[in-house]
PDB file of all heavy atoms in Angstrom:
ATOM      1  N   ASP A 147     -11.396  26.705 -16.324  1.00  0.00           N
ATOM      2  CA  ASP A 147     -11.115  28.055 -15.823  1.00  0.00           C
ATOM      3  C   ASP A 147     -10.492  28.973 -16.867  1.00  0.00           C
ATOM      4  O   ASP A 147     -10.023  30.071 -16.527  1.00  0.00           O
ATOM      5  CB  ASP A 147     -10.171  27.973 -14.614  1.00  0.00           C
ATOM      6  CG  ASP A 147     -10.746  27.169 -13.463  1.00  0.00           C
ATOM      7  OD1 ASP A 147     -11.962  27.277 -13.228  1.00  0.00           O
ATOM      8  OD2 ASP A 147      -9.979  26.418 -12.814  1.00  0.00           O
ATOM      9  N   VAL A 148     -10.467  28.559 -18.137  1.00  0.00           N
ATOM     10  CA  VAL A 148      -9.785  29.340 -19.168  1.00  0.00           C
ATOM     11  C   VAL A 148     -10.261  30.792 -19.184  1.00  0.00           C
ATOM     12  O   VAL A 148      -9.459  31.734 -19.089  1.00  0.00           O
ATOM     13  CB  VAL A 148      -9.984  28.714 -20.575  1.00  0.00           C
ATOM     14  CG1 VAL A 148      -9.400  29.648 -21.638  1.00  0.00           C
ATOM     15  CG2 VAL A 148      -9.317  27.364 -20.670  1.00  0.00           C
ATOM     16  N   ALA A 149     -11.548  30.985 -19.320  1.00  0.00           N
ATOM     17  CA  ALA A 149     -12.086  32.342 -19.450  1.00  0.00           C
ATOM     18  C   ALA A 149     -11.766  33.190 -18.224  1.00  0.00           C
ATOM     19  O   ALA A 149     -11.363  34.350 -18.345  1.00  0.00           O
ATOM     20  CB  ALA A 149     -13.590  32.284 -19.698  1.00  0.00           C
ATOM     21  N   ASP A 150     -11.926  32.618 -17.027  1.00  0.00           N
ATOM     22  CA  ASP A 150     -11.668  33.366 -15.796  1.00  0.00           C
ATOM     23  C   ASP A 150     -10.192  33.737 -15.672  1.00  0.00           C
ATOM     24  O   ASP A 150      -9.851  34.855 -15.269  1.00  0.00           O
ATOM     25  CB  ASP A 150     -12.106  32.546 -14.584  1.00  0.00           C
ATOM     26  CG  ASP A 150     -13.617  32.397 -14.498  1.00  0.00           C
ATOM     27  OD1 ASP A 150     -14.326  33.238 -15.084  1.00  0.00           O
ATOM     28  OD2 ASP A 150     -14.083  31.444 -13.845  1.00  0.00           O
ATOM     29  N   VAL A 151      -9.308  32.804 -16.002  1.00  0.00           N
ATOM     30  CA  VAL A 151      -7.866  33.064 -15.901  1.00  0.00           C
ATOM     31  C   VAL A 151      -7.470  34.195 -16.849  1.00  0.00           C
ATOM     32  O   VAL A 151      -6.710  35.098 -16.485  1.00  0.00           O
ATOM     33  CB  VAL A 151      -7.051  31.788 -16.206  1.00  0.00           C
ATOM     34  CG1 VAL A 151      -5.562  32.112 -16.361  1.00  0.00           C
ATOM     35  CG2 VAL A 151      -7.254  30.759 -15.110  1.00  0.00           C
ATOM     36  N   LEU A 152      -7.976  34.161 -18.065  1.00  0.00           N
ATOM     37  CA  LEU A 152      -7.648  35.199 -19.037  1.00  0.00           C
ATOM     38  C   LEU A 152      -8.215  36.551 -18.625  1.00  0.00           C
ATOM     39  O   LEU A 152      -7.555  37.593 -18.807  1.00  0.00           O
ATOM     40  CB  LEU A 152      -8.158  34.805 -20.422  1.00  0.00           C
ATOM     41  CG  LEU A 152      -7.531  33.551 -21.045  1.00  0.00           C
ATOM     42  CD1 LEU A 152      -8.127  33.280 -22.421  1.00  0.00           C
ATOM     43  CD2 LEU A 152      -6.017  33.677 -21.135  1.00  0.00           C
ATOM     44  N   LYS A 153      -9.398  36.557 -18.074  1.00  0.00           N
ATOM     45  CA  LYS A 153      -9.998  37.819 -17.614  1.00  0.00           C
ATOM     46  C   LYS A 153      -9.178  38.427 -16.475  1.00  0.00           C
ATOM     47  O   LYS A 153      -8.953  39.639 -16.435  1.00  0.00           O
ATOM     48  CB  LYS A 153     -11.441  37.577 -17.164  1.00  0.00           C
ATOM     49  CG  LYS A 153     -12.447  37.483 -18.306  1.00  0.00           C
ATOM     50  CD  LYS A 153     -12.595  38.835 -19.014  1.00  0.00           C
ATOM     51  CE  LYS A 153     -13.641  38.797 -20.105  1.00  0.00           C
ATOM     52  NZ  LYS A 153     -13.713  40.083 -20.839  1.00  0.00           N
ATOM     53  N   ARG A 154      -8.730  37.577 -15.546  1.00  0.00           N
ATOM     54  CA  ARG A 154      -7.934  38.074 -14.422  1.00  0.00           C
ATOM     55  C   ARG A 154      -6.604  38.657 -14.898  1.00  0.00           C
ATOM     56  O   ARG A 154      -6.016  39.514 -14.246  1.00  0.00           O
ATOM     57  CB  ARG A 154      -7.681  36.958 -13.410  1.00  0.00           C
ATOM     58  CG  ARG A 154      -8.894  36.582 -12.575  1.00  0.00           C
ATOM     59  CD  ARG A 154      -8.489  35.829 -11.320  1.00  0.00           C
ATOM     60  NE  ARG A 154      -7.790  34.581 -11.634  1.00  0.00           N
ATOM     61  CZ  ARG A 154      -8.384  33.413 -11.789  1.00  0.00           C
ATOM     62  NH1 ARG A 154      -9.714  33.319 -11.686  1.00  0.00           N
ATOM     63  NH2 ARG A 154      -7.676  32.337 -12.058  1.00  0.00           N
ATOM     64  N   ALA A 155      -6.124  38.167 -16.037  1.00  0.00           N
ATOM     65  CA  ALA A 155      -4.879  38.677 -16.605  1.00  0.00           C
ATOM     66  C   ALA A 155      -5.117  39.889 -17.507  1.00  0.00           C
ATOM     67  O   ALA A 155      -4.199  40.330 -18.205  1.00  0.00           O
ATOM     68  CB  ALA A 155      -4.186  37.566 -17.402  1.00  0.00           C
ATOM     69  N   ASN A 156      -6.349  40.410 -17.478  1.00  0.00           N
ATOM     70  CA  ASN A 156      -6.723  41.596 -18.270  1.00  0.00           C
ATOM     71  C   ASN A 156      -6.572  41.365 -19.774  1.00  0.00           C
ATOM     72  O   ASN A 156      -6.184  42.277 -20.518  1.00  0.00           O
ATOM     73  CB  ASN A 156      -5.899  42.813 -17.834  1.00  0.00           C
ATOM     74  CG  ASN A 156      -6.160  43.213 -16.397  1.00  0.00           C
ATOM     75  OD1 ASN A 156      -7.311  43.245 -15.959  1.00  0.00           O
ATOM     76  ND2 ASN A 156      -5.091  43.494 -15.649  1.00  0.00           N
ATOM     77  N   ILE A 157      -6.889  40.156 -20.197  1.00  0.00           N
ATOM     78  CA  ILE A 157      -6.844  39.814 -21.613  1.00  0.00           C
ATOM     79  C   ILE A 157      -8.186  40.176 -22.257  1.00  0.00           C
ATOM     80  O   ILE A 157      -9.247  39.834 -21.741  1.00  0.00           O
ATOM     81  CB  ILE A 157      -6.547  38.315 -21.825  1.00  0.00           C
ATOM     82  CG1 ILE A 157      -5.203  37.949 -21.202  1.00  0.00           C
ATOM     83  CG2 ILE A 157      -6.598  37.961 -23.298  1.00  0.00           C
ATOM     84  CD1 ILE A 157      -4.023  38.710 -21.758  1.00  0.00           C
ATOM     85  N   THR A 158      -8.126  40.883 -23.368  1.00  0.00           N
ATOM     86  CA  THR A 158      -9.352  41.258 -24.078  1.00  0.00           C
ATOM     87  C   THR A 158      -9.382  40.715 -25.509  1.00  0.00           C
ATOM     88  O   THR A 158     -10.451  40.635 -26.112  1.00  0.00           O
ATOM     89  CB  THR A 158      -9.481  42.792 -24.141  1.00  0.00           C
ATOM     90  OG1 THR A 158      -8.317  43.337 -24.789  1.00  0.00           O
ATOM     91  CG2 THR A 158      -9.603  43.378 -22.725  1.00  0.00           C
ATOM     92  N   ARG A 159      -8.215  40.348 -26.048  1.00  0.00           N
ATOM     93  CA  ARG A 159      -8.128  39.945 -27.452  1.00  0.00           C
ATOM     94  C   ARG A 159      -7.416  38.595 -27.571  1.00  0.00           C
ATOM     95  O   ARG A 159      -6.367  38.379 -26.970  1.00  0.00           O
ATOM     96  CB  ARG A 159      -7.365  41.014 -28.235  1.00  0.00           C
ATOM     97  CG  ARG A 159      -7.161  40.743 -29.721  1.00  0.00           C
ATOM     98  CD  ARG A 159      -6.580  42.010 -30.359  1.00  0.00           C
ATOM     99  NE  ARG A 159      -6.198  41.826 -31.759  1.00  0.00           N
ATOM    100  CZ  ARG A 159      -4.938  41.872 -32.193  1.00  0.00           C
ATOM    101  NH1 ARG A 159      -3.941  42.086 -31.325  1.00  0.00           N
ATOM    102  NH2 ARG A 159      -4.656  41.730 -33.469  1.00  0.00           N
ATOM    103  N   LEU A 160      -8.005  37.710 -28.368  1.00  0.00           N
ATOM    104  CA  LEU A 160      -7.435  36.382 -28.591  1.00  0.00           C
ATOM    105  C   LEU A 160      -7.054  36.222 -30.059  1.00  0.00           C
ATOM    106  O   LEU A 160      -7.859  36.497 -30.948  1.00  0.00           O
ATOM    107  CB  LEU A 160      -8.443  35.287 -28.226  1.00  0.00           C
ATOM    108  CG  LEU A 160      -9.107  35.344 -26.857  1.00  0.00           C
ATOM    109  CD1 LEU A 160     -10.028  34.138 -26.685  1.00  0.00           C
ATOM    110  CD2 LEU A 160      -8.073  35.397 -25.739  1.00  0.00           C
ATOM    111  N   LEU A 161      -5.819  35.783 -30.299  1.00  0.00           N
ATOM    112  CA  LEU A 161      -5.407  35.412 -31.652  1.00  0.00           C
ATOM    113  C   LEU A 161      -5.576  33.905 -31.790  1.00  0.00           C
ATOM    114  O   LEU A 161      -4.913  33.136 -31.096  1.00  0.00           O
ATOM    115  CB  LEU A 161      -3.946  35.802 -31.897  1.00  0.00           C
ATOM    116  CG  LEU A 161      -3.583  37.276 -31.765  1.00  0.00           C
ATOM    117  CD1 LEU A 161      -2.136  37.513 -32.208  1.00  0.00           C
ATOM    118  CD2 LEU A 161      -4.521  38.158 -32.563  1.00  0.00           C
ATOM    119  N   THR A 162      -6.477  33.504 -32.665  1.00  0.00           N
ATOM    120  CA  THR A 162      -6.752  32.080 -32.868  1.00  0.00           C
ATOM    121  C   THR A 162      -6.216  31.623 -34.220  1.00  0.00           C
ATOM    122  O   THR A 162      -5.985  32.425 -35.126  1.00  0.00           O
ATOM    123  CB  THR A 162      -8.263  31.807 -32.786  1.00  0.00           C
ATOM    124  OG1 THR A 162      -8.942  32.609 -33.766  1.00  0.00           O
ATOM    125  CG2 THR A 162      -8.810  32.128 -31.404  1.00  0.00           C
ATOM    126  N   LEU A 163      -6.031  30.324 -34.319  1.00  0.00           N
ATOM    127  CA  LEU A 163      -5.425  29.734 -35.517  1.00  0.00           C
ATOM    128  C   LEU A 163      -6.504  29.292 -36.504  1.00  0.00           C
ATOM    129  O   LEU A 163      -7.330  28.439 -36.196  1.00  0.00           O
ATOM    130  CB  LEU A 163      -4.566  28.534 -35.114  1.00  0.00           C
ATOM    131  CG  LEU A 163      -3.772  27.854 -36.231  1.00  0.00           C
ATOM    132  CD1 LEU A 163      -2.603  28.739 -36.660  1.00  0.00           C
ATOM    133  CD2 LEU A 163      -3.249  26.499 -35.759  1.00  0.00           C
TER     134      LEU A 163
END
Side-chain angles (χ1 to χ4, degrees):
D147 300 322
V148 173
D150 291 338
V151 169
L152 296 180
K153 281 293 183 184
R154 286 199 299 269
N156 297 317
I157 300 301
T158 58
R159 179 171 174 247
L160 308 182
L161 300 187
T162 57
L163 184 72

